[in-house]
Each structure stands twice: as C-alpha cells, then as structure tokens.
Amino acid sequence: MDINSLSDKELCEIINTDKYDCELIAEADAVRRRYYGTAVYLRGLIEICNVCKNDCLYCGIRRSNGNLDRYRLSKEDILSCCEQGHKLGFRTFVLQGGEDPYYTDEVICGIVSEIKERFPDCAVTLSLGEKGRESYAAFRAAGADRYLLRHETADDAHYSRLHPAVMSLAHRKSCLFTLKELGYQVGSGFMVGSPYQTADNLVEDLRFLQELRPDMIGIGPFIPHKDTPFRDFPGGTLELTLRMVAILRLMFPTALIPSTTALGTIHPLGRELGLKAGANVVMPNLSPVRVRKLYELYDNKICTGEEAAECKGCLERRVQSAGYEIVSARGDVYGFDSKPQ
Ligand code: 5AD
Ligand code: FES
C-alpha cells in the first residue's frame, strides 16, 4: 500500500476500522526496520515543573486545578537528574514542564548551557510550550538541539473545544514553523480519542504533519483526569492509537516516534505494542521520585514510583521482549549527520 497516494476518504476508512489491524502494523514494522533496524532510542524525561499558566481542558496540571501541590525543580536538581541519567547511558535529556513564567529565558539558557557543558555528548530537548521567537532563538544559542510541541489537533474548531479562548491553533502552528526555521529538530503530535475528535480531524492531523515535516512525532491516547472538565469523557483506545502509530510510520518512514507513557498507561503491554506498530523511541522517567506523582497529566500515569535506574531497566526488558534493542546513542533523526548543522 502506498500510504501517500491515499485520499482523505481512504485514510478515514483505515482510521475507522475497528480492530487491531495486523496487516497495517506488519507493514509499518517493515518500514521501521528498513530505516532503523531494531534500534530503539532512549530519552531521559525530566519533568521540571508542574506550574502552568494555561488552562487546557484535558490536562491535569492546568491552572484551574487547585487540587494539586505545585513544584519547581532547581537548576541543581535538574543537573543531578542528568548526571544520574548520563551514568545510566542516557544521551538525550528532555526538559518538559508547564508554561511557568518563573523559568525566564535567562534561567532556561543557564540550565541548557550547563547541561551541554557538563555532558557535551548529549542532546538537549526542550518541551516548555509556546514562547516567542526570541526565546526559542536564545535557547537554541544556549545549545538546545530539539523542541517538542504537540499541535494537539489540527482542526480549528476542535482546537477551540480543547483549549481556552486565549489559545489558538494558528499561534501553535506558527511556533512550530519558527522552531524549524531556527534549526531545531522539531517534534509535534496529538492525542488520540480526545473529546469531540472525529476521524476527519485525525486526517487533518496527518495532513498538517505532512506540511510541517517534523523530525519527531509523539502521539498517545487521551486519558481523562479526574480534576478536569473532561473527567467524564471516554479515553482514546489502544487499537486506534496503534493504528495511528502505524499510519505515521508509513507516512514518515524516518521519523522518531515514541511509544508513549500514555500508551503504557491504558494497557499493560501498550508500549510493546507501540514499538511493534512502528514506534522507535522510549522515554524513561528521570524526574526525582518525590515529584513524580505531581506531574499527573492524566489519571493513573505509570512510572511514578520507580527510580530512574528501575524505570530504565524495566523499559529495557520491555523493548527486548518486543524484539527490539535499546541503543545508547544520541539518536538524531535519520540523515541528520549528513545535514549541514
Ligand atoms: N491525556 C493524554 N495526554 C495528555 N496530555 C496532556 N493531558 C493529557 C491527557 N489527559 C499530553 C498532551 C501534551 C503532552 C505533554 O501530554 O498532548 O502535549
Ligand atoms: Fe518506567 Fe516500567 S517503564 S517503571
């Protein structure tokens, strides 16, 4: 099947198949093996703060959630997570957090440049939400290599049902294009099965990604959080998420696609199945255990009780059992080494 020649309607039909689609998944696995073999890249996730000025309706750390202790990691905390991670073989650190004005550009640049200085063989990925061009440029100059910012949904009307009126899809998109212009390896993505989402919306997500051409694509099922307005909505399903992973692998043969924690949360073997459907990245949690439970974007998030080494060991076994192997390289996107830097 040539996925790129399919019409919107044909894509919709694949999306709407209500089962574990063996054929599609086998095709996706073959494509992944052609480019990446059995390699699975490791990213150490450091959740730097759960303070957020935004109020996204789906998210457990939204501003209006008063039922949550808020925390911020200091530069020293973050560096010690990196140090521990580096000893464990991590060569990418992902600093993720809410949109928190406490972390000014200066603070972030200070953290990034010190990580790059102390661990020059490592890549730094930021996932800190929407910022202005100057901020993104400053982070890049300080040494940040990659940036993750999911678009969440590429349909304007759907976007406005998931977010407060002060946020807009147009702004989100413009941030993504700015990040590309600044030379970041860029990651985007969306939730599967978010409230009000239709199969047409998912096709729009795919079309937007074709336009953006991101290096990384992160997707996971929507999972309701008890302290959000979406508490009573059903979550996204395993089957649909796996189908979307497989479609993404076929459309973007060289993309870095994580098998996400959300996928592991809705099914005990969710991440193994994600890898088999074409995902080639895993992101063990490196955050200090004392704050883990506080970064609960959705209910019942896994990996909140384990130390970094345990979480990495656990994922290593899972990756192996699925028939792949963790590699300890930086894991830049395919062809990156031959691109001018
Ligand atoms: N369920 C699933 N994923 C969620 N995210 C935020 N809230 C939820 C939820 N309730 C995802 C968003 C965000 C990423 C960091 O986590 O897609 O971009
Ligand atoms: Fe994190 Fe199993 S993967 S504890």
Side-chain angles (χ1 to χ4, degrees):
M1 176 180 58
D2 178 10
I3 197 108
N4 291 312
S5 65
L6 297 185
S7 66
D8 288 0
K9 188 162 165 281
E10 288 166 321
L11 281 171
C12 238
E13 273 162 26
I14 299 181
I15 290 170
N16 278 328
T17 332
D18 190 24
K19 60 169 182 16
Y20 182 83
D21 194 333
C22 292
E23 223 170 287
L24 179 78
I25 283 169
E27 260 188 76
D29 186 53
V31 168
R32 161 274 179 54
R33 284 173 194 263
R34 193 175 315 144
Y35 291 91
Y36 286 104
T38 54
V40 171
Y41 298 99
L42 262 189
R43 316 296 192 209
L45 179 64
I46 307 173
E47 296 152 339
I48 69 166
C49 72
N50 68 352
V51 179
C52 191
K53 68 178 167 69
N54 288 335
D55 221 13
C56 306
L57 278 78
Y58 45 84
C59 184
I61 66 169
R62 66 199 302 265
R63 185 184 65 214
S64 309
N65 182 4
N67 193 16
L68 179 64
D69 290 330
R70 304 282 174 169
Y71 74 90
R72 294 181 170 119
L73 296 185
S74 66
K75 182 179 182 180
E76 291 66 38
D77 287 331
I78 296 168
L79 282 161
S80 88
C81 292
C82 295
E83 192 165 323
Q84 201 186 0
H86 195 258
K87 284 198 193 118
L88 289 169
F90 288 87
R91 293 298 176 265
T92 292
F93 301 115
V94 180
L95 274 46
Q96 185 175 87
E99 290 192 18
D100 177 6
Y102 166 85
Y103 294 93
T104 58
D105 292 357
E106 214 181 322
V107 171
I108 295 295
C109 289
I111 295 169
V112 171
S113 58
E114 191 150 343
I115 297 175
K116 294 295 284 193
E117 204 170 293
R118 289 199 16 204
F119 310 102
D121 55 344
C122 292
V124 171
T125 304
L126 298 179
S127 179
L128 303 171
E130 297 183 359
K131 309 268 176 184
R133 175 183 285 268
E134 306 68 40
S135 306
Y136 288 147
F139 304 158
R140 180 97 182 99
D145 303 279
R146 310 179 188 142
Y147 205 100
L148 304 178
L149 180 66
R150 292 188 181 177
H151 65 278
E152 312 295 359
T153 172
D155 181 88
D156 261 309
H158 187 218
Y159 193 94
S160 62
R161 301 184 84 167
L162 303 184
H163 300 94
V166 289
M167 293 176 72
S168 77
L169 177 61
H171 190 254
R172 180 65 56 107
K173 286 183 175 176
S174 96
C175 287
L176 285 162
F177 286 107
T178 301
L179 288 161
K180 277 203 94 168
E181 281 165 27
L182 292 169
Y184 283 95
Q185 292 174 61
V186 171
S188 195
F190 52 88
M191 286 177 290
V192 176
S194 58
Y196 314 110
Q197 184 180 64
T198 63
D200 287 326
N201 293 155
L202 287 168
V203 174
E204 286 177 88
D205 287 321
L206 297 172
R207 297 302 182 211
F208 169 65
L209 291 171
Q210 285 179 317
E211 182 192 339
L212 179 67
R213 297 193 298 116
D215 305 293
M216 293 98 72
I217 304 173
I219 69 166
F222 161 73
I223 304 172
H225 186 289
K226 61 182 185 344
D227 297 317
T228 64
F230 288 165
R231 63 180 68 84
D232 293 327
F233 278 87
T237 66
L238 176 73
E239 291 75 15
L240 181 54
T241 309
L242 294 175
R243 220 148 53 232
M244 294 310 299
V245 169
I247 293 172
L248 288 169
R249 171 55 66 211
L250 292 172
M251 270 191 174
F252 304 93
T254 62
L256 291 155
I257 301 178
S259 198
T260 53
T261 307
L263 199 47
T265 297
I266 61 163
H267 189 280
L269 296 176
R271 284 166 302 177
E272 288 84 334
L273 292 165
L275 294 169
K276 290 184 181 177
N280 62 342
V281 171
V282 290
M283 301 176 69
N285 201 318
L286 276 185
S287 309
V289 172
R290 67 173 196 279
V291 302
R292 292 267 183 105
K293 283 235 182 298
L294 301 175
Y295 200 81
E296 211 173 40
L297 307 178
Y298 44 81
D299 286 342
N300 305 316
K301 186 171 161 232
I302 53 167
C303 303
T304 57
E306 288 78 6
E307 292 291 345
E310 293 173 80
C311 192
K312 185 196 169 213
C314 175
L315 263 175
E316 229 153 22
R317 287 190 296 279
R318 288 170 182 276
V319 167
Q320 237 168 29
S321 77
Y324 306 94
E325 58 187 329
I326 286 198
V327 296
S328 190
R330 259 175 59 126
D332 291 296
V333 71
Y334 188 88
F336 178 79
D337 298 341
S338 50
K339 271 192 212 165
Q341 309 270 305

